[in-house]
Amino acid sequence: MLSRRVAIVFGAGNLLAAVLLFVGVFVALPARWWPVDSGAAVLIGLELVSGVALLANGRLARRLAVVAAAVALALGMAVVTTLALTASWLAGVYGPVGRGGALILVLVSALALPYFVVWPAIQLVWMPPGRQP
Amino acid sequence: MDAARATAMTLRVLTWTLLVWAGVTGLACFAVSRAFALRADGASGRIVASVWSHGQIIARAVVTDAAEPAPALDAALASNPGATRVDERIVGEGPVVTRPIAALPMSLVPGRDGLEVTLDGRTEYLTPDELLARQAYDRGINVAALGLTAGLDAELALAILAERFGVPVTGLLDRAKVRRFRVLRSIPGASPPRVITAETMTDEDVRSGAIAAGRFLARGVDAEGRFRYLVDAPTNRTLSGYDWPRHAGATYFLAQVAALLDDARINWATLRAASQLRDHAMVECGDNRCIGSDRIVDVGSTALAVIAFAEIAKTKLDPAYSLVVPGLTAFLRAQQRSDGEFMHEYDRSERRRIDVQFLYYSGEAALALSRAHSLLHDPADLDAARRALARLVGPGWSFFGSRYYFGEEHWTCQATDDLWDRAPNAQALDFCLRWQAFGHKLQYEAGETPFDAEGAYGLGPLLTPRLTPVGSRSEAGIATLDAARRAGSPASELSTLELQMRSSLALLLRHQFRPGLRHLLVEPDAVEGAMPASEVDWQLRIDFAQHTGSALVRWLSLGR
């Protein structure tokens, strides 16, 4: 069973991830594109609901957190893979992306990885089957 | 099994999942990169030979050897005196992504790659020359918020191909096989042009480049003194739009060339452009005079007009222009806040200053006041210029991260140099040296991109480097070099900056239309000396030639 302290940390972390994703996609990105926007919207919703449920010690909090973490991990891995494949395609077309391009790609990955790969992975490992918050 | 049991994960499973993911992604990246790289196969070695006349293809043949007989080409050359045969030899091919359609624009390297389309057993080549002549590169994806355009105009390219095949555009991509190909261009019988590099560039190259840019602008000044503000180079069409700050800046550069050359046509064009400012654009702004035509006017137009008028008076092209400077500098000083910053707009109806700030204007005003002081020795101008510069390089650019990020400070650094002998500002020189060092980090070296970009600025190979920032940063860099020499900066710092400038100027000279790819232009003589926006964007705005030309003139006046 998750301790109250861990539930609060996970809840706050999920809310932070939701805010970061909202700012990153709906404020920072200069154009709207439905595949990105809808994926982000779904994940923001899950992170918000699970975060609030964990903080409120709700009955379905653990299940919601597991679902949110699984979806975040899947989408996060998909995004990083897509970025890497896009960079590889561009490198095939244009030649090596160079120091500047590589730096930008590494920075983008570094922004996405902690919140949408590492964080949900920690949650999934920390919440083994059957445990309740 | 409940949902929680189905989705929760053990550490072992997670580790394996991540390891497999990373491995598969790495392999996939390698495969994708290899698959889309150019390789010599299929059509490689073939030559797409075209005969061009006045910017249009009038005959084409695909041959395997330049010496292979091509009667259609010979006939076209014989019946069109002045036509040019151009050979585009295919040196590599690769696949393109046509789905999603947004991927197609980014599948071609601008200016280097064309499209090879096969439909029902027939192959058509849309070559880089054709795409350049139709200005199809860097028109595909527009990110307005960032002011970026990139990629092929796929809609235009497909329309050309559909017309050539005689089929509708719709469904063309579904039925056709599409590949990209890279070419090497040559003109049979013509010797390859000399390539100007940082190492080979001479002062004569620089001087003739500056004069050619000046002549291009001068040819575009009409009887009333207005420039051809924006020109589409391939068709030589004048496009819409006008802007007083850029008119004034172009007039300033013409005055610089007039002093360099003393050519009657350039002198006359300079004075017509200046009189357009003085007699038609100078209006009442409260108790002072300013440049503009609308109710709301900006500081930039007046500042650049002062710089132009001061140059015309200083070089004795028409000393009477010194008489109109004080009224304009009074306006600039009236717009200055107590902290040195300028209020960039003025409402003429309400006689009210508007405290907003835009790019460039404060630096322009600082330089204008400095130039006015050099000409007329009014201490109020010097004091205002000094305070403006102190603000620009001090509190005006002081925030967390300001050491790692810079705006476009070309006017600021020209003001730093201009003021150095009368009001030296070591902080400003340090600022400009740091800005140039920042630029040095972003400056492309040879072979770093698929483009001819050595000396340009940018990040990564995807965006075709823009040439105007190279021109404006060179103006500033040469000014900084000049001031740094007088300040006794270390020789190593100076030599790095000098090489950086040589590299940029050589790039600008390589891309100047002298004569450029004449066969792609309807009227090549009309755009001789012009500066394009980039290697593939051939819209010619007056400030492109101005920034490049002013940088070249500065280089000539630098005491080396």
Side-chain angles (χ1 to χ4, degrees), chain B residues 58-357:
Chain B
I58 55 172
R60 164 164 286 176
V62 179
V63 296
T64 52
D65 188 281
E68 184 180 322
L73 303 183
D74 295 338
L77 286 167
S79 58
N80 291 274
T84 308
R85 172 174 165 169
V86 179
D87 288 354
E88 293 175 274
R89 178 184 293 275
I90 298 174
V91 294
E93 290 178 276
V96 295
V97 179
T98 56
R99 291 286 184 274
I101 188 66
L104 181 58
M106 297 306 292
S107 291
L108 269 62
V109 175
R112 299 287 184 275
D113 293 351
L115 280 175
E116 174 193 326
V117 179
T118 304
L119 179 66
D120 299 334
R122 181 178 147 207
T123 299
E124 287 287 346
Y125 296 93
L126 193 54
T127 70
D129 270 3
E130 292 178 87
L131 293 168
L132 280 169
R134 298 295 293 265
Q135 286 293 280
Y137 291 119
D138 279 6
R139 296 278 193 275
I141 298 168
N142 183 15
V143 186
L146 301 176
L148 292 177
T149 54
L152 178 74
D153 182 344
E155 203 173 309
L156 174 61
L158 292 177
I160 296 170
L161 286 162
E163 185 183 358
R164 207 168 278 178
F165 280 112
V167 299
V169 174
T170 313
L172 177 61
L173 284 179
D174 297 326
R175 295 173 52 207
K177 180 186 173 194
V178 184
R179 291 172 66 77
R180 70 170 172 137
F181 62 94
R182 174 121 350 140
V183 301
L184 280 181
R185 179 193 302 109
S186 64
I187 298 177
S191 50
R194 175 175 155 253
V195 177
I196 300 175
T197 65
E199 292 75 28
T200 64
M201 184 181 77
T202 66
D203 278 2
E204 185 47 39
D205 292 330
V206 176
R207 180 182 157 83
S208 61
I211 290 169
R215 286 194 164 129
F216 164 70
L217 284 181
R219 282 197 302 275
V221 179
D222 67 16
E224 293 180 353
R226 287 171 69 93
F227 289 92
R228 292 182 75 198
Y229 178 76
L230 185 62
V231 176
D232 178 60
T235 58
N236 192 32
R237 275 188 307 119
T238 303
L239 305 176
S240 60
Y242 214 79
D243 180 279
W244 286 120
R246 292 187 176 120
H247 175 107
T251 306
Y252 162 58
F253 168 56
L254 278 183
Q256 289 181 299
V257 178
L260 193 69
L261 193 61
D262 196 19
D263 174 277
R265 286 177 192 275
I266 289 184
N267 293 357
W268 178 226
T270 308
L271 291 174
R272 288 204 310 280
S275 69
Q276 169 69 217
L277 280 173
R278 183 191 59 192
D279 302 335
H280 300 287
M282 202 153 72
V283 293
E284 300 291 333
C285 279
D287 298 331
N288 301 307
R289 306 277 281 168
C290 66
I291 300 293
S293 48
D294 299 325
R295 185 170 67 92
I296 307 286
V297 296
D298 61 71
V299 156
S301 306
T302 302
L304 288 172
V306 167
I307 293 169
F309 291 166
E311 189 73 15
I312 290 169
K314 185 189 84 175
T315 57
K316 306 282 193 286
L317 188 60
D318 183 350
Y321 271 89
S322 62
L323 300 176
V324 293
V325 168
L328 297 173
T329 51
F331 168 73
L332 293 178
R333 292 197 308 271
Q335 292 292 115
Q336 193 170 29
R337 299 191 320 214
S338 60
D339 64 357
E341 181 58 278
F342 291 89
M343 293 177 257
H344 285 180
E345 286 187 339
Y346 182 83
D347 187 326
R348 293 167 59 216
S349 300
E350 297 183 11
R351 298 169 65 93
R352 182 174 60 87
R353 299 176 298 173
I354 303 172
D355 196 358
V356 293
Q357 280 74 41

